[in-house]
Amino acid sequence: MENTIPDILGDGFQAELYYRRWYILSLFSLFSLFQCAVWNTWGPIAETAKNVYGWDDGDLTLLPLWGVVVFPVFSGPFAWLLGRSLRWAVAIAALLVVIGTFIRCIPILLPEQAVNFDIYCNTGAIFNAMAGPVAMAGPIQLSANWFPPGERVAATGIGQMFNALGIGVSFIFGTFLVREASDDCELDNVLCLNNESDLKLARDDINILLWVHGGASFIVFLLILLYFPSQPPKPPSISATEPRTLFLEGFKTLIKSRTAWLTMITYSMSQGLVQMWQSVMIINILNLEIEGVTEKWASMLGLVISFVAVAASIGFAFFLNWFKKRMKLVLILLLGVSGIIFIFTTLLFQGVFQFQDSNGFKIATYFLLLSGISLAYASAPLLFEFSVELNYPVGEGTIGSWLTLWFNLFCICFLLIFQKPDSSTGWLNYVLPASVLGPLPLLFLVQENYNRLNIDEGKKPEL
């Protein structure tokens, strides 16, 4: 028997809150997590993959580049489908992830295809990328369908942050399933890539990693097929019963809206560039050539950052429900403080701060990146919800797709720089402060209004 929580909203309107909403959110979050983990398969094992397959930095960044190149093509169709049926949008997206992961395993099953391994990997990356619009834009549609006003920011935050947590999970898989490999055969507990037997062991480790991705994605897909309704039997809020503008009309409204552009640029820069930097952080940190800083250490740093930042962001999201009508102020504070922290990070990477040994550098890097990225991530669900409030009655799925479409276009620009032969990576030291401080002035130009919240509180929206 389903447990319900009655809630009276407005003029005689009765909403019901179903406990199963947390299961639906959890299942979506797992799908979103693995979609991102598959996208960042190669980042945590960059050096090993380059040695095993003869790849370079351009080959490695091409694989995640598909995630942002393909995204705009499927953003529109999935935005339309999210507004029609959350269930089918998520189920189709989960199937695409499964197809993408198992395509990469074909050369493992058919050794004669090993020579085309990079082609299969790129094809798999394209299929996984097709699911990106649902993984990124879906949380705000799910929170609107299933959650009351007091839980929407938290629900959106959980859905979004589990996608970002996929980066952390990819570091877990990469760190613990793939042994570190190097050309230096004198290192302890490190595979020697000049040794044919060690080279085979490294390749076998990567094969296991690919199978784990495929199996986990397939299990999540089956669970979604079994039970994942688009909405509960009764709505959780008044606004959940209100009609939204049609997709094309809503998208045209966003294009003409000054406010929509301001919040989009803020979201795309502060979230897109930070996440892109995380995906290549090992390249950035190793190129600093700090003695004692290894790929294994950098991978563990990426893992810890992902989990701590996501946990902090979700905690912030629950806390920020108390400031539902102070979103602009909270966003300015979050991005401003994270920007100051990132300035110190840049100074650290540029060698302004000197330490007697690598331990000092490691401690400072942990502190600065953990705190700065946590604050930047905490602004993500708030920017989504703020955009919905400002642009209501444009549909949540349409707004989510609008934000994530431009998010990925910013990411394309970031990753394309790596495709330039022999390009320097020194510019990576400046990405983090620029990503959050660059769009900060735009927030001051946004005029606050809370149209959807006013509907839920029985007030007239400021349209």
Side-chain angles (χ1 to χ4, degrees):
M1 181 176 179
E2 180 65 56
N3 292 314
T4 62
I5 304 174
D7 185 22
I8 305 297
L9 298 174
D11 186 15
F13 176 83
Q14 180 174 344
E16 288 199 40
L17 306 183
Y18 295 81
Y19 287 126
R20 74 184 88 160
R21 69 190 185 278
W22 295 108
Y23 171 78
I24 298 299
L25 178 60
S26 299
L27 195 52
F28 176 88
S29 298
L30 284 176
F31 147 71
S32 183
L33 181 151
F34 284 115
Q35 192 275 335
C36 185
V38 172
W39 170 76
N40 195 47
T41 298
W42 304 101
I45 57 170
E47 292 303 312
T48 301
K50 283 195 289 187
N51 284 301
V52 170
Y53 301 112
W55 292 347
D56 57 24
D57 287 344
D59 296 317
L60 283 170
T61 53
L62 177 60
L63 291 163
L65 180 61
W66 288 119
V68 292
V69 171
V70 173
F71 191 102
V73 178
F74 290 87
S75 182
F78 271 123
W80 173 82
L81 187 56
L82 279 169
R84 294 278 181 160
S85 173
L86 179 66
R87 170 179 169 77
W88 283 110
V90 175
I92 292 171
L95 177 60
L96 289 170
V97 176
V98 173
I99 294 172
T101 55
F102 279 99
I103 282 177
R104 303 187 305 183
C105 296
I106 291 177
I108 305 174
L109 294 173
L110 303 174
E112 65 272 16
Q113 293 297 319
V115 67
N116 297 317
F117 181 72
D118 57 337
I119 297 176
Y120 285 103
C121 285
N122 280 282
T123 304
I126 291 172
F127 273 93
N128 183 70
M130 295 177 189
V134 176
M136 296 186 67
I140 199 160
Q141 185 68 59
L142 189 151
S143 68
N145 286 7
W146 282 90
F147 288 84
E151 295 177 353
R152 281 196 298 240
V153 174
T156 300
I158 292 171
Q160 278 189 324
M161 289 302 103
F162 264 74
N163 184 252
L165 188 61
I167 295 178
V169 170
S170 71
F171 276 100
I172 289 181
F173 288 167
T175 301
F176 294 103
L177 293 179
V178 180
R179 283 166 285 189
E180 189 172 4
S182 173
D183 291 323
D184 188 349
C185 297
E186 296 181 1
L187 296 175
D188 295 330
N189 300 317
V190 175
L191 296 178
C192 175
L193 293 172
N194 293 323
N195 184 306
E196 190 64 30
S197 60
D198 279 7
L199 189 64
K200 184 180 183 303
L201 288 175
R203 191 185 301 272
D204 290 343
D205 286 348
I206 295 176
N207 290 345
I208 292 172
L209 173 66
L210 299 182
W211 280 119
V212 169
H213 279 156
S217 302
F218 183 68
I219 291 172
V220 172
F221 170 63
L222 288 181
L223 291 174
I224 290 171
L225 282 185
L226 286 174
Y227 185 76
F228 194 92
S230 293
Q231 64 272 322
K234 294 184 179 180
S237 65
I238 294 177
S239 61
T241 67
E242 295 291 320
R244 303 297 197 265
T245 55
L246 297 177
F247 169 69
L248 288 179
E249 182 183 346
F251 209 81
K252 291 178 182 177
T253 300
L254 294 174
I255 292 175
K256 297 176 182 178
S257 169
R258 172 176 172 268
T259 298
W261 283 96
L262 293 175
T263 52
M264 176 277 292
I265 294 172
T266 303
Y267 173 78
S268 299
M269 287 189 66
S270 65
Q271 304 307 309
L273 297 184
V274 171
Q275 287 194 30
M276 286 300 99
W277 182 87
Q278 267 193 279
S279 72
V280 297
M281 63 174 285
I282 290 181
I283 296 174
N284 188 189
I285 291 175
L286 293 183
N287 284 346
L288 297 176
E289 297 183 349
I290 306 291
E291 185 176 354
V293 175
T294 64
E295 181 183 33
K296 207 76 170 179
W297 179 85
S299 294
M300 185 58 67
L301 171 63
L303 169 64
V304 174
I305 287 175
S306 294
F307 277 89
V308 171
V310 167
S313 178
I314 292 174
F316 268 117
F318 280 99
F319 173 74
L320 292 175
N321 278 318
W322 297 94
F323 299 91
K324 291 192 295 290
K325 291 196 173 183
R326 294 290 185 273
M327 293 185 184
K328 177 178 173 178
L329 174 62
V330 175
L331 285 169
I332 290 172
L333 291 174
L334 288 173
L335 295 179
V337 175
S338 66
I340 294 172
I341 293 171
F342 286 150
I343 288 175
F344 283 97
T345 306
T346 297
L347 294 175
L348 175 66
F349 286 179
Q350 287 295 107
V352 174
F353 304 125
Q354 297 292 327
F355 301 94
Q356 292 182 346
D357 55 37
S358 63
N359 289 331
F361 173 84
K362 291 178 179 178
I363 293 171
T365 301
Y366 259 93
F367 173 76
L368 292 171
L369 290 180
L370 282 173
S371 55
I373 292 178
S374 294
L375 291 171
Y377 273 12
S379 66
L382 207 57
L383 279 165
F384 256 58
E385 292 293 329
F386 193 36
S387 297
V388 170
E389 295 295 337
L390 293 170
N391 296 288
Y392 182 87
V394 176
E396 287 82 359
T398 304
I399 294 173
S401 297
W402 162 261
L403 292 174
T404 54
L405 168 64
W406 288 100
F407 170 105
N408 280 272
L409 292 176
F410 272 80
C411 294
I412 288 175
C413 296
F414 179 95
L415 291 175
L416 279 176
I417 297 176
F418 278 93
Q419 301 306 306
K420 182 181 177 182
D422 302 320
S423 61
S424 170
T425 58
W427 59 275
L428 288 173
N429 296 340
Y430 302 93
V431 168
L432 292 177
S435 65
V436 293
L437 294 179
L440 190 58
L442 302 182
L443 279 177
F444 289 94
L445 302 178
V446 175
Q447 183 176 357
E448 283 184 284
N449 61 68
Y450 296 92
N451 294 325
R452 189 177 58 168
L453 276 172
N454 288 336
I455 290 286
D456 289 322
E457 293 173 357
K459 300 176 183 178
K460 185 177 179 179
E462 303 171 11
L463 300 179

